[in-house]
Amino acid sequence: EVQLLESGGALVQPGGSLRLSCVASGFTLNTYAMSWVRQAPGKGLEWVSGISGRGGNTYYADSVKGRIIISRDDSKSTLYLQMNSLRAEDTAVYYCAKSVGSTSSVAIDFWGQGTLVTVSS
Amino acid sequence: AIRMTQSPSSFSASTGDRVNITCRASQGISVYLAWYQQKPGKAPKLLISAASTLQSGVPSRFSGSGSGTDFTLTINCLQSEDFATYFCHQYYTYPWTFGQGTKVETK
């Protein structure tokens, strides 16, 4: 059974940093493309970052480029999102999401339950 | 970035109704289009990928159609558990983008 368990969400001040983690089980992490997708309170879905299966190519939304790094530790079956220079507009539930295959041209087929990041002073 | 525009943003319907939700891409995306259902406080759930391929376990009253720039999600004979928000998503190219969502409410 596929499971994605996010953690690391917290209340952080503007300009601060946070690292989100997503522990994957039920599949081999590095054979699937993975993404982080966020949802601000009462708003729609926004793709934030992705990493391909084999090769580990990384991709970022313009809104976070230069401030966020996606990575994975295959030995721990864990996906990470390092978030720096956080802004109020980064406040959202962050979902870890698994794609159907290893490349970018496949849909997300499974989502974690999300972790809440609140950026406020 | 490719802009995904859903319509309507929300509407009211009754159980048994046939519902159509449309999604338009600002440029052609072939069939790299997925539909998700989201209920309050829950993660999205994949319904349809590749514009028209029903995900395993999803009821057959859900169907998808379209290619290029115009897509439709159809729900035949709406059930009580279908009242939710629906999002379209293009995965043709990065940055991936989503429609703004369509909330289906009970009339």
Side-chain angles (χ1 to χ4, degrees):
Chain A
E1 180 190 6
V2 171
Q3 291 192 35
L4 298 171
L5 185 60
E6 302 101 330
S7 62
L11 171 63
V12 61
Q13 292 189 339
S17 297
L18 209 56
R19 189 177 80 159
L20 307 183
S21 299
C22 171
V23 177
S25 59
F27 67 101
T28 302
L29 185 63
N30 66 3
T31 59
Y32 292 89
M34 299 292 294
S35 297
W36 288 96
V37 178
R38 68 185 180 185
Q39 187 169 35
K43 301 298 184 182
L45 300 168
E46 180 188 15
W47 175 83
V48 171
S49 182
I51 184 167
S52 64
R54 299 175 182 84
N57 293 323
T58 58
Y59 308 88
Y60 300 96
D62 287 344
S63 59
V64 302
K65 200 171 291 183
R67 301 189 295 121
I68 281 180
I69 299 172
I70 188 172
S71 63
R72 66 173 189 241
D73 184 334
D74 296 333
S75 68
K76 296 182 179 179
S77 200
T78 301
L79 181 73
Y80 299 102
L81 190 70
Q82 177 65 44
M83 308 169 67
N84 303 317
S85 302
L86 284 163
R87 307 166 180 168
E89 54 264 37
D90 295 319
T91 294
V93 173
Y94 284 72
Y95 292 103
C96 170
K98 168 190 167 293
S99 286
V100 173
S102 64
T103 69
S104 62
S105 302
V106 288
I108 291 171
D109 66 342
F110 194 84
W111 304 63
Q113 287 306 301
T115 187
L116 177 62
V117 173
T118 302
V119 184
S120 175
S121 55
Chain B
I2 297 175
R3 180 175 177 84
M4 306 300 292
T5 303
Q6 281 182 240
S7 61
S9 296
S10 66
F11 68 95
S12 300
S14 301
T15 55
D17 285 352
R18 177 186 170 107
V19 167
N20 286 310
I21 298 169
T22 63
C23 181
R24 173 164 288 178
S26 62
Q27 66 185 73
I29 59 170
S30 185
V31 292
Y32 294 96
L33 190 283
W35 289 98
Y36 300 90
Q37 177 193 68
Q38 187 179 34
K39 296 182 178 179
K42 300 294 186 181
K45 172 188 173 183
L46 176 64
L47 300 175
I48 287 169
S49 63
S52 61
T53 301
L54 196 66
Q55 186 75 353
S56 175
V58 175
S60 59
R61 62 181 180 272
F62 290 92
S63 63
S65 63
S67 67
T69 60
D70 293 305
F71 303 86
T72 301
L73 172 69
T74 299
I75 311 173
N76 283 302
C77 196
L78 195 71
Q79 301 297 299
S80 57
E81 60 266 32
D82 300 335
F83 292 101
T85 300
Y86 295 85
F87 294 94
C88 62
H89 163 224
Q90 71 80 17
Y91 50 95
Y92 176 75
T93 189
Y94 287 120
W96 287 355
T97 44
F98 291 85
Q100 79 278 17
T102 296
K103 187 174 184 179
V104 180
E105 300 174 295
T106 183
K107 188 179 289 184

Coordinates of all heavy atoms in Angstrom, one line a residue, chain B residues 12-61:
Chain B
S12 N -24.6 24.9 -8.1 CA -25.5 24.1 -7.3 C -26.1 23.0 -8.2 O -26.6 23.3 -9.3 CB -26.5 24.9 -6.6 OG -25.9 25.9 -5.7
A13 N -26.2 21.8 -7.6 CA -26.8 20.7 -8.4 C -27.5 19.8 -7.4 O -27.3 19.9 -6.2 CB -25.7 19.9 -9.1
S14 N -28.3 18.9 -8.0 CA -29.1 17.9 -7.2 C -28.6 16.5 -7.5 O -28.1 16.3 -8.6 CB -30.5 18.0 -7.5 OG -31.0 19.3 -7.2
T15 N -28.8 15.6 -6.5 CA -28.4 14.2 -6.8 C -29.2 13.8 -8.0 O -30.4 14.1 -8.2 CB -28.7 13.3 -5.6 OG1 -30.1 13.5 -5.2 CG2 -27.8 13.7 -4.4
G16 N -28.6 13.0 -8.9 CA -29.2 12.5 -10.1 C -28.9 13.4 -11.3 O -29.1 13.0 -12.5
D17 N -28.4 14.6 -11.1 CA -28.1 15.5 -12.2 C -26.9 15.0 -13.0 O -26.1 14.3 -12.5 CB -27.8 16.9 -11.7 CG -29.0 17.7 -11.2 OD1 -30.2 17.2 -11.5 OD2 -28.9 18.8 -10.7
R18 N -26.8 15.5 -14.2 CA -25.6 15.3 -15.0 C -24.9 16.6 -15.0 O -25.5 17.7 -15.2 CB -26.0 15.0 -16.5 CG -24.8 14.8 -17.4 CD -25.3 14.7 -18.9 NE -24.3 14.8 -19.9 CZ -23.9 13.7 -20.6 NH1 -24.3 12.5 -20.3 NH2 -22.9 13.9 -21.5
V19 N -23.6 16.5 -14.7 CA -22.8 17.7 -14.4 C -21.6 17.8 -15.4 O -21.0 16.7 -15.7 CB -22.2 17.7 -13.0 CG1 -21.1 18.7 -12.8 CG2 -23.3 17.9 -12.0
N20 N -21.4 18.9 -16.0 CA -20.2 19.1 -16.9 C -19.3 20.2 -16.3 O -19.8 21.3 -16.0 CB -20.7 19.5 -18.3 CG -21.2 18.3 -19.1 OD1 -20.6 17.2 -19.1 ND2 -22.4 18.4 -19.6
I21 N -18.1 20.0 -16.2 CA -17.1 21.0 -15.8 C -16.1 21.1 -16.9 O -15.6 20.1 -17.4 CB -16.4 20.6 -14.5 CG1 -17.4 20.5 -13.4 CG2 -15.3 21.6 -14.2 CD1 -16.9 19.8 -12.1
T22 N -15.8 22.3 -17.4 CA -14.9 22.5 -18.5 C -13.5 23.1 -18.0 O -13.5 23.8 -17.0 CB -15.5 23.4 -19.6 OG1 -15.7 24.7 -19.1 CG2 -16.8 22.8 -20.1
C23 N -12.5 22.8 -18.7 CA -11.2 23.3 -18.4 C -10.5 23.7 -19.8 O -10.5 22.9 -20.7 CB -10.4 22.2 -17.7 SG -8.7 22.6 -17.3
R24 N -10.0 24.9 -19.9 CA -9.4 25.3 -21.1 C -7.9 25.7 -20.8 O -7.6 26.4 -19.8 CB -10.1 26.5 -21.6 CG -9.4 27.2 -22.8 CD -10.4 28.1 -23.6 NE -11.4 27.4 -24.3 CZ -12.4 27.9 -25.0 NH1 -12.5 29.2 -25.0 NH2 -13.3 27.1 -25.6
A25 N -7.0 25.2 -21.6 CA -5.6 25.5 -21.5 C -5.2 26.7 -22.4 O -5.8 26.8 -23.5 CB -4.8 24.3 -21.9
S26 N -4.3 27.5 -22.0 CA -3.9 28.7 -22.8 C -3.1 28.3 -24.0 O -2.9 29.1 -24.9 CB -3.2 29.7 -21.9 OG -2.0 29.1 -21.4
Q27 N -2.6 27.1 -24.1 CA -2.0 26.5 -25.2 C -2.2 25.0 -25.3 O -2.6 24.4 -24.3 CB -0.5 26.9 -25.3 CG 0.4 26.2 -24.2 CD 1.8 26.7 -24.2 OE1 2.1 27.8 -23.8 NE2 2.7 25.8 -24.6
G28 N -1.9 24.4 -26.4 CA -2.2 23.0 -26.6 C -1.4 22.1 -25.6 O -0.2 22.3 -25.5
I29 N -2.1 21.2 -25.0 CA -1.4 20.3 -24.1 C -1.6 18.8 -24.5 O -1.5 17.9 -23.6 CB -1.8 20.5 -22.6 CG1 -3.3 20.3 -22.4 CG2 -1.3 21.9 -22.2 CD1 -3.7 20.3 -21.0
S30 N -2.0 18.6 -25.7 CA -2.4 17.2 -26.2 C -3.4 16.6 -25.2 O -4.5 17.2 -25.0 CB -1.1 16.4 -26.2 OG -1.3 15.1 -26.8
V31 N -3.1 15.5 -24.6 CA -4.0 14.9 -23.6 C -3.4 14.8 -22.3 O -3.8 14.0 -21.4 CB -4.5 13.5 -24.1 CG1 -5.4 13.6 -25.3 CG2 -3.4 12.5 -24.3
Y32 N -2.4 15.6 -22.0 CA -1.7 15.6 -20.7 C -2.5 16.4 -19.6 O -2.1 17.4 -19.1 CB -0.3 16.1 -20.9 CG 0.6 15.3 -21.7 CD1 0.8 15.6 -23.1 CD2 1.3 14.2 -21.2 CE1 1.6 14.8 -23.9 CE2 2.1 13.4 -22.0 CZ 2.2 13.7 -23.3 OH 3.0 12.9 -24.1
L33 N -3.7 15.8 -19.3 CA -4.6 16.5 -18.5 C -5.2 15.5 -17.5 O -5.7 14.4 -17.9 CB -5.7 17.1 -19.4 CG -6.8 18.1 -18.8 CD1 -7.9 17.4 -18.0 CD2 -6.2 19.2 -18.0
A34 N -5.2 15.9 -16.2 CA -5.8 15.1 -15.2 C -6.9 15.9 -14.5 O -6.9 17.1 -14.4 CB -4.7 14.6 -14.2
W35 N -7.8 15.1 -13.9 CA -8.9 15.7 -13.0 C -8.8 15.1 -11.6 O -8.6 13.9 -11.5 CB -10.3 15.3 -13.6 CG -10.6 16.1 -14.9 CD1 -10.5 15.6 -16.2 CD2 -11.2 17.4 -15.0 NE1 -10.9 16.5 -17.1 CE2 -11.3 17.6 -16.4 CE3 -11.5 18.4 -14.1 CZ2 -11.8 18.9 -16.9 CZ3 -12.0 19.6 -14.6 CH2 -12.2 19.8 -15.9
Y36 N -8.9 15.9 -10.6 CA -8.9 15.5 -9.2 C -10.1 16.0 -8.5 O -10.7 17.1 -8.8 CB -7.7 16.1 -8.5 CG -6.3 15.7 -9.2 CD1 -5.8 16.5 -10.2 CD2 -5.7 14.5 -8.7 CE1 -4.6 16.1 -10.7 CE2 -4.5 14.2 -9.3 CZ -4.0 14.9 -10.3 OH -2.8 14.5 -10.9
Q37 N -10.5 15.2 -7.5 CA -11.6 15.6 -6.6 C -11.0 15.9 -5.3 O -10.2 15.1 -4.8 CB -12.6 14.4 -6.5 CG -13.7 14.6 -5.5 CD -14.5 13.3 -5.3 OE1 -13.9 12.4 -4.6 NE2 -15.7 13.2 -5.7
Q38 N -11.5 16.9 -4.6 CA -11.0 17.2 -3.3 C -12.2 17.6 -2.4 O -13.0 18.4 -2.7 CB -10.0 18.4 -3.3 CG -9.4 18.6 -1.9 CD -8.4 19.8 -1.9 OE1 -8.5 20.7 -2.6 NE2 -7.3 19.6 -1.1
K39 N -12.2 16.9 -1.2 CA -13.2 17.2 -0.2 C -12.5 18.0 0.9 O -11.3 17.9 1.1 CB -13.8 15.9 0.3 CG -14.6 15.2 -0.8 CD -15.3 14.0 -0.3 CE -16.1 13.3 -1.5 NZ -16.8 12.1 -1.1
P40 N -13.3 18.8 1.7 CA -12.7 19.7 2.7 C -11.8 19.0 3.7 O -12.2 17.9 4.2 CB -14.0 20.3 3.4 CG -15.0 20.2 2.4 CD -14.8 19.0 1.6
G41 N -10.6 19.5 3.9 CA -9.7 18.9 4.8 C -9.0 17.7 4.4 O -8.2 17.1 5.1
K42 N -9.2 17.3 3.1 CA -8.6 16.1 2.6 C -7.7 16.4 1.4 O -7.8 17.4 0.8 CB -9.7 15.1 2.1 CG -10.7 14.7 3.2 CD -10.0 13.9 4.2 CE -11.0 13.3 5.2 NZ -10.3 12.5 6.3
A43 N -6.8 15.4 1.1 CA -6.0 15.5 -0.1 C -6.8 15.3 -1.3 O -7.8 14.6 -1.3 CB -4.8 14.5 0.1
P44 N -6.3 15.8 -2.4 CA -7.0 15.5 -3.7 C -6.9 14.1 -4.1 O -6.0 13.4 -3.6 CB -6.2 16.4 -4.7 CG -5.6 17.5 -3.9 CD -5.2 16.8 -2.6
K45 N -7.8 13.6 -4.9 CA -7.9 12.2 -5.3 C -7.9 12.2 -6.8 O -8.7 13.0 -7.4 CB -9.1 11.6 -4.8 CG -9.4 10.2 -5.3 CD -10.8 9.7 -4.8 CE -11.2 8.4 -5.5 NZ -12.5 7.9 -5.1
L46 N -7.1 11.4 -7.5 CA -7.1 11.3 -8.9 C -8.3 10.6 -9.4 O -8.6 9.5 -9.0 CB -5.8 10.6 -9.4 CG -5.7 10.4 -10.9 CD1 -5.6 11.7 -11.7 CD2 -4.5 9.5 -11.2
L47 N -9.0 11.2 -10.4 CA -10.2 10.6 -11.0 C -9.8 10.1 -12.4 O -10.1 9.0 -12.8 CB -11.3 11.6 -11.1 CG -11.9 12.2 -9.8 CD1 -12.9 13.3 -10.2 CD2 -12.4 11.1 -8.9
I48 N -9.2 11.0 -13.2 CA -9.0 10.8 -14.6 C -7.6 11.3 -15.0 O -7.2 12.4 -14.5 CB -10.1 11.5 -15.4 CG1 -11.4 10.7 -15.3 CG2 -9.7 11.6 -16.9 CD1 -12.6 11.4 -15.9
S49 N -6.9 10.5 -15.8 CA -5.6 11.0 -16.3 C -5.7 10.8 -17.8 O -6.6 10.2 -18.4 CB -4.4 10.2 -15.8 OG -4.6 8.8 -16.1
A50 N -4.7 11.4 -18.5 CA -4.6 11.4 -20.0 C -5.9 11.8 -20.6 O -6.4 11.2 -21.6 CB -4.2 10.0 -20.5
A51 N -6.6 12.8 -20.0 CA -7.8 13.4 -20.4 C -9.1 12.5 -20.3 O -10.1 13.1 -20.0 CB -7.7 13.9 -21.9
S52 N -8.9 11.2 -20.5 CA -10.1 10.4 -20.5 C -10.0 9.0 -19.9 O -10.9 8.2 -19.9 CB -10.6 10.2 -22.0 OG -9.6 9.5 -22.7
T53 N -8.8 8.7 -19.3 CA -8.6 7.4 -18.7 C -9.0 7.4 -17.2 O -8.4 8.1 -16.4 CB -7.1 7.0 -18.7 OG1 -6.7 7.0 -20.1 CG2 -6.8 5.7 -18.1
L54 N -10.0 6.6 -16.9 CA -10.6 6.5 -15.6 C -9.6 5.8 -14.7 O -9.2 4.7 -15.0 CB -11.9 5.8 -15.6 CG -12.9 6.0 -14.4 CD1 -13.3 7.4 -14.3 CD2 -14.1 5.0 -14.6
Q55 N -9.3 6.4 -13.5 CA -8.5 5.7 -12.5 C -9.2 4.5 -11.9 O -10.4 4.5 -11.7 CB -8.1 6.7 -11.4 CG -7.1 6.2 -10.4 CD -5.7 6.2 -10.9 OE1 -5.4 6.4 -12.1 NE2 -4.7 5.9 -10.0
S56 N -8.4 3.5 -11.6 CA -8.9 2.2 -11.0 C -9.7 2.6 -9.7 O -9.2 3.3 -8.9 CB -7.8 1.3 -10.7 OG -8.3 0.1 -10.1
G57 N -10.9 2.1 -9.6 CA -11.7 2.3 -8.4 C -12.6 3.5 -8.5 O -13.5 3.6 -7.6
V58 N -12.5 4.3 -9.5 CA -13.3 5.5 -9.6 C -14.6 5.0 -10.3 O -14.6 4.4 -11.4 CB -12.6 6.6 -10.4 CG1 -13.6 7.8 -10.7 CG2 -11.4 7.0 -9.7
P59 N -15.8 5.5 -9.8 CA -17.0 5.0 -10.4 C -17.2 5.4 -11.9 O -16.7 6.5 -12.3 CB -18.1 5.8 -9.6 CG -17.4 6.0 -8.3 CD -16.0 6.2 -8.6
S60 N -17.8 4.6 -12.6 CA -18.0 4.8 -14.1 C -18.9 6.0 -14.4 O -18.9 6.4 -15.6 CB -18.5 3.6 -14.8 OG -19.7 3.2 -14.2
R61 N -19.5 6.6 -13.4 CA -20.3 7.8 -13.7 C -19.4 9.0 -14.0 O -19.9 10.0 -14.6 CB -21.3 8.2 -12.6 CG -20.6 8.5 -11.3 CD -21.7 8.8 -10.2 NE -21.1 9.1 -8.9 CZ -20.8 8.1 -8.0 NH1 -21.0 6.9 -8.3 NH2 -20.2 8.5 -6.8

